[in-house]
Structure formats: structure tokens, C-alpha cells
Amino acid sequence: DIVLTQSPGTLSLSPGERATLSCRASRTVGSAFLAWYQQKPGQAPRLLIYAASNRATGIPDRFSGSGSGTDFTLTISRLEPEDFAVYYCQQYGSFYTFGQGTKLEIK
Amino acid sequence: QVQLQESGPGLVKPSETLSLTCSVSGGSISGHYWSWIRQSPGKRLEWIGYIHNDGTTNYHPSFESRVTISIDTSKNQFSLKLSSVTAADTAVYYCARDDGIRFDYWGHGSLVTVSS
């Protein structure tokens, strides 16, 4: 398995601030195979970013992804109240794995 | 707009087989991969496996010995069977469309509890 480790576990910020979430892989991940999801309580995950840096349909441009190799980042430029949620990274090698999640909470 | 809906028993006894079906609407099941993913309380999302409409499957090694995913293109449905369940299989089970690198459409999730 490629293990994905996300940091921090919890991030406390205020609306309007910038959020930077990290995803580190135990082995190199092809950039085409790294995605990010947002999950709110009681809901299914929602695709935000695919191929490391491409926004999914309907995702606001305050969300951006970057990185390559073993280090990937999700950035939310200016937090809106609806952005407070749990975020997961996901990779596909011979099979899919997910990170353990970063909880973005209101400070 | 593609929509997915899981259905099946919410309670399964230990050692029995968990069975769920995912109904796809708003688009054809053909030409895509379809996955099952689960989320146990306090744990990360776990990919269980996928199926393509041509019958090709790929299962995570952790589940390979006891999982079967099947597809019925005439009904636009695909299904999950997980045998010999234990309490550790208690989770919310999601079905999702899989385009080979990401999951772009998800069902709402189906909570399955394993208990006698």
C-alpha cells in the first residue's frame, strides 16, 4: 500500500484566513493520481481536486491543489463558513488509498 | 446529473454476508468503473474494490478473500457482497463512480451494523 499521511490533524482558523493542508505519501505518487475531497458531517465526500491541481466541476477557485512526488498540498485562499469540514487526500496506484483526514474547524 | 443510491439491510449478523446494491440514475452504467468504499467510525475511508461494465474487477487485498462485486447493466445497478462479517465491518458503505483516478459521484451512504 501507499500510505498517505495528512497534516495537521486539526486546523483551527477563522473565516477569511488562508488554509494550507498537507498530504505526504510513503512512495512516489503520479500527479495524475492524487485527488482531494471535502466531507461534511452526515454527507458523502465531495471531489474538490483531481490530478493534483485540477478543480472539479463547480468547485470555487479559492480551492487549489499543488505538489508532486510524495508531497501534495491543498490550499483554500480565503475561508468561507461553508469550508469548515474534513478534507481527505486519495491516491491511485495499483489500488486506491486515502489519508486519515484533516479537520478544518472554526477558531 | 448522475445519482447513486445504496440499498440493503442495515443490520447483519456476525459471520453472515453483507449485501448492498447501488442504483445508478441520470446516466449509463456502461463505460465507467464503479467502486465501493466504506468508512468505519473514527477510521479513514477504505476502498473495497471496483467493477467495470465489462466485468473487470479489482479488489483491495484486505478484502479480496471475502468480497464480490457484480454488475447488472440491464438494471443500471452494481452490488457488493462481503462474507464472514464481524463487528469490524460496521461502517457506512458508499458506492461511487470511478473514472480510473478519482471518485466523481458518490451515493449518500448506507450504514451497516454487524451485530447479533
Side-chain angles (χ1 to χ4, degrees), chain A residues 56-96:
Chain A
T57 303
I59 301 303
D61 62 7
R62 64 180 181 273
F63 290 91
S64 63
S66 63
S68 63
T70 60
D71 289 296
F72 298 87
T73 300
L74 174 69
T75 302
I76 311 171
S77 58
R78 293 173 310 280
L79 286 165
E80 297 286 343
E82 62 267 27
D83 298 336
F84 292 90
V86 180
Y87 292 83
Y88 295 96
C89 57
Q90 167 252 306
Q91 68 81 34
Y92 181 71
S94 53
F95 46 86
Y96 292 100

Side-chain angles (χ1 to χ4, degrees), chain B residues 34 36 48-51 57 59 67-71 78-80:
Chain B
W34 303 92
W36 287 97
I48 299 169
Y50 69 58
I51 190 165
T57 56
Y59 302 136
V67 67
T68 302
I69 298 176
S70 58
I71 194 165
F78 63 106
S79 298
L80 169 72

Side-chain angles (χ1 to χ4, degrees), chain B residues 68-88:
Chain B
T68 302
I69 298 176
S70 58
I71 194 165
D72 186 338
T73 54
S74 67
K75 294 182 179 178
N76 246 31
Q77 293 178 338
F78 63 106
S79 298
L80 169 72
K81 290 189 185 299
L82 185 66
S83 64
S84 305
V85 296
T86 68

Side-chain angles (χ1 to χ4, degrees), chain A residues 4-49:
Chain A
L4 299 178
T5 302
Q6 293 184 240
S7 60
T10 302
L11 185 56
S12 299
L13 293 170
S14 300
E17 291 193 292
R18 179 185 186 90
T20 303
L21 288 67
S22 174
C23 176
R24 177 161 290 178
S26 59
R27 298 201 312 272
T28 295
V29 173
S31 293
F33 302 107
L34 195 288
W36 289 91
Y37 300 82
Q38 176 194 68
Q39 187 178 33
K40 295 180 179 179
Q43 296 185 16
R46 171 194 180 198
L47 177 66
L48 296 175
I49 300 288

Side-chain angles (χ1 to χ4, degrees), chain B residues 80-98:
Chain B
L80 169 72
K81 290 189 185 299
L82 185 66
S83 64
S84 305
V85 296
T86 68
D89 295 308
T90 293
V92 176
Y93 286 77
Y94 295 99
C95 57
R97 194 176 81 168
D98 172 353

